[in-house]
């Protein structure tokens, strides 16, 4: 079964850093782009960026460029989203999702279950 | 970046009736358009890609149409499980932007 399993919920204080994970299984991790999507409480979906684990080619939304880092570890089929100096406004659900086409872009066909991040003093 | 605008923000429809949701792109995205369904507490689910191709396991009552800048998602004969929020997304150009969503509610 093709699936993405994300790390558990996080509670952080402002100024702390965050690294959440997305472990892929059931397919060739290195040949599909994986992306991250933010959903703030009660709001819509925001596309943050994507990575191609095969060569770590990464694309970011201008809204998130310089604010987050997307990476991948091929050896354990896991993608990561990092953010330093967290703010209360980073409180959100974060989803990872896989592009449906091998080696190319397309819709997100497989989604992780989401990781809820709460930033509060 | 390409701005995706969905209308209406909220659509009230009775079970068994047909619903039509719209999505407009600020510039042409060809047919690089997807529709997702999201229910409370769940991750989004892919319904339609390539503007009109149903994803695996999606019932035939869901249909997508359009190209360029104007797109439509139609749901015929609404079932109780179809009441949710629907998002369109373009993947023609970076960043792959989403629309703000349409909430489909029971009338």
């Amino acid at each position: 079964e093709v699936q993405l399993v994300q790390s558990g919920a996080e509670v952080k204080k402002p100024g702390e850093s965050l690294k959440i994970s997305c472990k892929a299984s059931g397919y060739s991790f290195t040949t599909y782009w994986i992306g991250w999507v933010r959903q703030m409480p009660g709001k819509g979906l925001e596309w943050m960026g994507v990575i191609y684990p095969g060569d770590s080619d990464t694309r970011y939304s201008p809204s998130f460029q310089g604010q987050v880092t997307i990476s991948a570890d091929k050896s354990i089929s896991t993608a990561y989203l990092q953010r330093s100096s967290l703010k209360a406004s980073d409180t959100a659900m974060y989803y990872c999702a896989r592009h449906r086409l091998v080696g190319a872009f397309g819709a997100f066909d497989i989604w992780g279950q989401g990781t809820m991040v709460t930033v509060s003093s | 970046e390409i701005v995706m605008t969905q209308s209406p923000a909220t659509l009230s429809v009775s079970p068994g009736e047909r619903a039509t949701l719209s999505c407009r792109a600020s510039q042409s995205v060809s047919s690089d358009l997807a529709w997702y369904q999201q229910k409370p507490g769940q991750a989004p689910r892919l319904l339609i890609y390539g503007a009109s191709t149903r994803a695996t396991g999606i019932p035939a009552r869901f249909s997508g149409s359009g190209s360029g800048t104007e797109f439509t998602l139609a749901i015929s004969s609404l079932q109780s499980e179809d009441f949710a929020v629907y998002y369109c997304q373009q993947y023609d150009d970076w960043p792959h932007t989403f629309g703000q969503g349409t909430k489909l509610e029971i009338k």
Side-chain angles (χ1 to χ4, degrees):
Chain A
E1 178 189 6
V2 176
Q3 59 178 350
L4 300 173
V5 178
Q6 298 184 227
S7 49
E10 301 264 11
V11 179
K12 296 287 189 179
K13 289 182 169 26
E16 291 184 338
S17 61
L18 173 76
K19 188 174 186 178
I20 59 178
S21 66
C22 171
K23 182 170 178 59
S25 62
Y27 73 96
S28 176
F29 177 69
T30 57
T31 58
Y32 289 81
W33 289 81
I34 283 188
W36 289 91
V37 175
R38 183 176 79 172
Q39 187 168 39
M40 299 175 73
K43 302 299 183 182
L45 305 174
E46 299 175 89
W47 189 92
M48 302 177 72
V50 292
I51 187 167
Y52 188 71
D55 62 6
S56 294
D57 187 7
T58 310
R59 314 288 172 91
Y60 293 96
S61 166
S63 300
F64 293 94
Q65 179 84 46
Q67 306 301 310
V68 299
T69 301
I70 295 172
S71 61
D73 185 337
K74 293 187 288 188
S75 68
I76 54 172
S77 300
T78 300
Y80 300 96
L81 177 69
Q82 288 180 260
R83 171 87 165 105
S84 59
S85 299
L86 286 164
K87 306 173 185 178
S89 57
D90 292 311
T91 294
M93 181 72 81
Y94 293 86
Y95 294 102
C96 63
R98 187 193 79 165
H99 277 279
R100 58 174 289 274
L101 298 175
V102 174
F105 309 113
F108 286 135
D109 65 342
I110 305 295
W111 291 71
Q113 82 278 18
T115 296
M116 183 66 209
V117 175
T118 303
V119 183
S120 174
S121 55
Chain B
E1 74 180 45
I2 298 174
V3 177
M4 306 302 291
T5 303
Q6 294 184 238
S7 61
T10 303
L11 182 61
S12 299
V13 184
S14 300
E17 294 189 339
R18 177 183 178 87
T20 302
L21 289 67
S22 296
C23 175
R24 173 178 292 177
S26 60
Q27 64 189 71
S28 177
V29 298
S30 186
S31 294
D32 296 331
L33 190 285
W35 289 94
Y36 302 89
Q37 176 193 66
Q38 187 178 34
K39 297 180 181 179
Q42 296 185 16
R45 175 176 72 146
L46 177 64
L47 297 176
I48 301 285
Y49 63 89
S52 61
T53 303
R54 281 189 302 279
T56 302
I58 302 304
R61 63 179 182 273
F62 291 90
S63 62
S65 62
S67 66
T69 62
E70 300 284 343
F71 301 89
T72 299
L73 174 69
I75 313 170
S76 64
S77 189
L78 279 163
Q79 306 296 303
S80 57
E81 62 266 29
D82 299 334
F83 292 96
V85 179
Y86 292 83
Y87 295 94
C88 63
Q89 181 204 22
Q90 66 81 19
Y91 47 90
D92 187 70
D93 194 14
W94 306 108
H96 293 174
T97 42
F98 290 93
Q100 81 280 16
T102 290
K103 181 180 181 180
L104 180 58
E105 64 176 27
I106 300 175
K107 186 174 182 180

